[in-house]
Amino acid sequence: MFAALALTISLAVAPRPHIVWKPIPYGPRRKAEMAAYADRHYGIHSWHLRPKVIVEHYTASNSFSATWNAFASNAPDPELGELPGDCAHFIIGRSGRIYQLVRLDVMCRHTVGLNYVSIGIEHVGTSDAEILHDRAQIRASLALTAWLVGRFHIKVRNVIGHSESLSSPYHKELYKPWAHQTHADWKHADMDVYRTRLRRVLNADTRS
């Protein structure tokens, strides 16, 4: 009886939130660019994603459309001139609307050292605190992340902020000048708050 109960709890998955499909152009050419990037940076010649990490970001702007357009443009990075350009799998708007830009079995270039294994979630906003205090946006973010955690069996400790990328056990970067590169968005203290709230959501879903 207890074994059956434990199995039921372990298989519990948070419900899928409402997601608006708004894809960026990601055809054969961009997939080939992603495979070549993965080969150079991870030693994996593939664009296929098998998620083990979720990385939270913010856009550093208040415009969903500007972020979507930047990802869709597929502009090369300014340092190496490499393609593909940046992208993320999701953008969460200030209203709490969740947009999906890329399929979840396709790599996106959003976090140095982790693109080969991570789902990227962008939040429209300019700071961690702004997003944490935006009720609609943070509710949507936690709902989306909880669903992804359950769907891909991702540990809560592997839900990280961009600034925590170097501490991930999955971090891997073959291009030495980028081996210690990260960004400041979603600091560790704010992600501790985020992960605490995420556990509450996950526990509530398990009990329901």
Side-chain angles (χ1 to χ4, degrees):
M1 175 181 175
F2 292 110
L5 179 59
L7 179 61
T8 300
I9 290 174
S10 68
L11 293 177
V13 177
R16 182 184 188 275
H18 178 67
I19 298 171
V20 178
W21 175 240
K22 191 171 177 61
I24 59 171
Y26 209 125
R29 180 174 178 176
R30 190 162 183 164
K31 287 176 180 174
E33 292 165 354
M34 189 71 245
Y37 177 97
D39 193 15
R40 288 190 298 271
H41 292 267
Y42 312 122
I44 305 167
H45 191 80
S46 176
W47 50 264
H48 288 282
L49 175 65
R50 294 173 178 82
K52 292 180 173 62
V53 179
I54 299 169
V55 183
E56 311 289 348
H57 307 261
Y58 61 75
T59 61
S61 76
N62 287 309
S63 172
F64 163 80
S65 60
T67 302
W68 189 95
N69 288 335
F71 291 162
S73 72
N74 196 29
D77 74 78
E79 183 176 343
L80 295 181
E82 276 193 316
L83 290 169
D86 292 339
C87 68
H89 295 87
F90 297 95
I91 302 175
I92 303 177
R94 300 302 300 271
S95 68
R97 181 166 290 181
I98 302 169
Y99 299 91
Q100 184 174 353
L101 284 63
V102 179
R103 292 194 344 242
L104 296 176
D105 61 346
V106 176
M107 291 182 198
C108 258
R109 187 177 169 187
H110 58 91
T111 304
V112 168
L114 289 173
N115 296 310
Y116 76 106
V117 76
S118 64
I119 294 170
I121 302 176
E122 288 279 357
H123 301 73
V124 175
T126 58
S127 72
D128 307 350
E130 178 184 23
I131 295 155
L132 283 170
H133 290 91
D134 186 314
R135 183 173 297 180
Q137 193 175 30
I138 195 63
R139 183 187 297 121
S141 178
L142 292 168
L144 173 62
T145 301
W147 173 65
L148 292 169
V149 161
R151 178 175 174 184
F152 294 105
H153 308 290
I154 294 171
K155 303 290 187 183
V156 171
R157 65 175 176 268
N158 291 321
V159 176
I160 66 172
H162 196 169
S163 75
E164 299 177 301
S165 62
L166 297 177
S167 64
S168 170
Y170 295 101
H171 184 272
K172 180 179 183 179
E173 180 53 66
L174 300 179
Y175 179 59
K176 296 304 182 184
W178 286 5
H180 302 287
Q181 180 175 313
T182 190
H183 284 252
D185 47 329
W186 284 100
K187 295 177 176 64
H188 179 70
D190 291 328
M191 281 306 302
D192 277 346
V193 173
Y194 188 98
R195 284 185 287 263
T196 296
R197 295 187 187 181
L198 177 62
R199 288 187 181 96
R200 291 176 188 155
V201 171
L202 291 167
N203 288 336
D205 288 328
T206 299
R207 290 194 301 268
S208 62

